[in-house]
Amino acid sequence: MTLKEQLLQEIEALPSARLAEVLTFVQSLSTKPSTTSAKSFLAHLKTIGTWSGNDLQECLEAVENSQGEAQFDYSPNPFE
């Protein structure tokens, strides 16, 4: 079974209420930047409060698409 066939099989098994979420995700893949650097993020932070332009929706989608799982290191603090 090809990857495309597996995807289609999984999509067909989803409840219809989740299909819109899948469609939004798939559409975002074509517009998602391949990498986001800390430098560009910090540069963007400097513009907060001075929004101009009509790309608010694109920026909100970029934030949603860049979210990931947090990882925590529970080892003791070596500086204490």
Side-chain angles (χ1 to χ4, degrees):
M1 182 180 290
T2 68
L3 183 57
K4 186 174 182 178
E5 290 169 335
Q6 290 175 343
L7 284 167
L8 289 172
Q9 184 178 9
E10 292 296 326
I11 289 169
E12 289 173 357
L14 282 174
S16 59
R18 302 292 305 263
L19 291 177
E21 184 179 347
V22 172
L23 177 60
T24 301
F25 173 73
V26 171
Q27 289 173 333
S28 73
L29 293 176
S30 63
T31 60
K32 181 178 179 180
S34 58
T35 59
T36 302
S37 70
K39 187 176 182 179
S40 67
F41 179 70
L42 291 174
H44 175 69
L45 287 178
K46 292 178 182 178
T47 67
I48 292 177
T50 59
W51 191 276
S52 62
N54 60 357
D55 61 342
L56 177 61
Q57 187 60 40
E58 290 174 8
C59 290
L60 291 174
E61 289 174 5
V63 169
E64 289 177 344
N65 293 331
S66 65
Q67 294 175 355
E69 292 185 17
Q71 295 180 350
F72 299 95
D73 181 8
Y74 291 104
S75 63
N77 185 343
F79 301 105
E80 292 183 328

